[in-house]
Amino acid sequence: MEFSIREVKARFAEAAAAAARGERVIVTKHGVPFVALVAVARPAGMDFEKAERIRRDLGLDGVKVTMPADFDEPAFSRQVLGLEE
């Protein structure tokens, strides 16, 4: 969908609705593409059900991960990276 600046000003609600539906709306200035209106991608977050399916498919559902009590201390990070002995 393409609108001139003048058209998009007069029909902004229509252009915004089209962009929200997933259409790419091009706004032109003197016949040259100037800007595009697109829908904002919403953050999806963590899909825990999908993660569980993947763990099961990979055979990792019985694997337990444990971290040392001091894993978040800077000294531990330096030790893991081999910066200290």
Side-chain angles (χ1 to χ4, degrees):
M1 182 176 279
E2 190 171 295
F3 291 100
S4 69
I5 288 178
R6 180 176 289 172
E7 288 175 314
V8 82
K9 183 178 176 184
R11 299 169 55 191
F12 185 75
E14 180 184 345
R21 286 192 307 270
E23 291 184 51
R24 187 173 175 97
V25 178
I26 304 297
V27 180
T28 61
K29 184 175 184 179
H30 304 295
V32 179
F34 180 60
V35 295
L37 298 176
V38 294
V40 174
R42 298 188 187 272
M46 178 69 179
D47 185 346
F48 290 101
E49 291 177 6
K50 182 177 180 181
E52 187 59 35
R53 279 194 312 273
I54 291 170
R55 284 179 55 88
R56 210 173 22 254
D57 292 348
L58 294 174
L60 300 173
D61 52 349
V63 176
K64 299 293 181 197
V65 176
T66 58
M67 303 296 282
D70 60 347
F71 83 97
D72 59 347
E73 292 181 19
F76 179 77
S77 298
R78 293 180 61 77
Q79 181 182 3
V80 170
L81 294 173
L83 300 174
E84 288 182 3
E85 304 225 2

